[in-house]
């Protein structure tokens, strides 16, 4: 792994279900953010998040971050309310943020771009710590409000991380 002085921009493009989603539905199970921290077991500061979505409707999207790849206990298109406390604890929760489709996004053609504004009220910046032996962090996305339908390649995520010593 090459080191990037100061930080890194990491892009993740998960394959997602093309079924309709409802409020509190999991859009996809854990996706890896490779090299999210500078060294095995290291720490970074998540500074920015941008999402490109192939829908132009007001959808509120939530992201949760984890320190392992254990499933969170819900499948794609299943409500997160079905996750047990034990499943969630085993998933290695680090933190969360949310994007309001009305206030944290703008239209680009027939699509939407969501962006963090660096505001503490949405959970950014956020410390990310990888488990021992790893440089990756994992994340999931969920629909908080709205009923979107995405293409299989309908969401692209860009994470801006600042590496910490």
């Amino acid at each position: 792994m090459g080191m990037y002085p100061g930080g890194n921009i990491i892009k993740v493009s998960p394959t997602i279900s093309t079924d309709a989603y409802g409020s509190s539905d999991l859009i996809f199970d854990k996706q890896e953010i490779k090299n999210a921290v500078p060294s095995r077991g290291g720490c970074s500061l998540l500074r920015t998040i941008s999402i490109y979505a192939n829908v132009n409707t007001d959808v509120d999207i939530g992201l949760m971050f984890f320190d392992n790849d254990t499933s969170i206990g819900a499948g794609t298109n299943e409500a997160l309310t079905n996750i047990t406390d034990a499943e969630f604890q085993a998933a290695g929760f680090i933190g969360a943020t949310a994007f309001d489709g009305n206030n944290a996004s703008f239209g680009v053609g027939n699509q939407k771009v969501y962006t963090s504004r660096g505001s503490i009220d949405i959970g950014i910046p956020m410390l990310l710590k990888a488990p021992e032996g790893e440089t990756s962090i994992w994340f999931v996305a969920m629909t908080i409000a709205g009923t979107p339908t995405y293409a299989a390649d309908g969401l692209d995520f860009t994470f801006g991380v600042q590496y910490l010593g």
Side-chain angles (χ1 to χ4, degrees), residues 17-22 25-28 75-79:
S17 168
T18 57
D19 295 329
Y21 293 89
D25 278 357
L26 184 66
I27 299 172
F28 53 79
T76 300
N77 291 88
E78 289 182 1

Side-chain angles (χ1 to χ4, degrees), residues 3-79:
M3 290 299 293
Y4 302 92
N8 202 357
I9 300 294
I10 305 163
K11 296 182 178 188
V12 179
S13 299
T15 300
I16 57 178
S17 168
T18 57
D19 295 329
Y21 293 89
S23 182
S24 83
D25 278 357
L26 184 66
I27 299 172
F28 53 79
D29 205 354
K30 288 186 179 178
Q31 298 290 308
E32 185 175 12
I33 305 172
K34 294 180 180 180
N35 299 321
V37 301
S39 59
R40 296 179 192 282
C43 202
S44 289
L45 191 61
L46 179 59
R47 289 282 190 183
T48 63
I49 303 170
S50 294
I51 306 169
Y52 178 74
N54 75 347
V55 295
N56 198 10
T57 59
D58 288 330
V59 177
D60 297 346
I61 298 174
L63 302 180
M64 292 190 292
F65 297 87
F66 301 88
D67 66 7
N68 67 54
D69 64 355
T70 303
S71 174
I72 63 171
T76 300
N77 291 88
E78 289 182 1

Side-chain angles (χ1 to χ4, degrees), residues 24-25 72-75 77-88:
S24 83
D25 278 357
I72 63 171
N77 291 88
E78 289 182 1
L80 293 171
T81 54
N82 295 332
I83 299 170
T84 68
D85 184 51
E87 288 169 330
F88 192 74

Side-chain angles (χ1 to χ4, degrees), residues 113-154:
V113 171
Y114 293 79
T115 183
S116 62
R117 299 170 302 229
S119 172
I120 193 80
D121 63 334
I122 60 166
I124 302 294
M126 179 189 309
L127 282 172
L128 302 175
K129 181 169 182 349
E132 293 304 316
E134 293 284 348
T135 59
S136 294
I137 298 296
W138 291 262
F139 77 106
V140 300
M142 78 231 44
T143 302
I144 297 173
T147 56
T149 301
Y150 299 102
D153 60 352

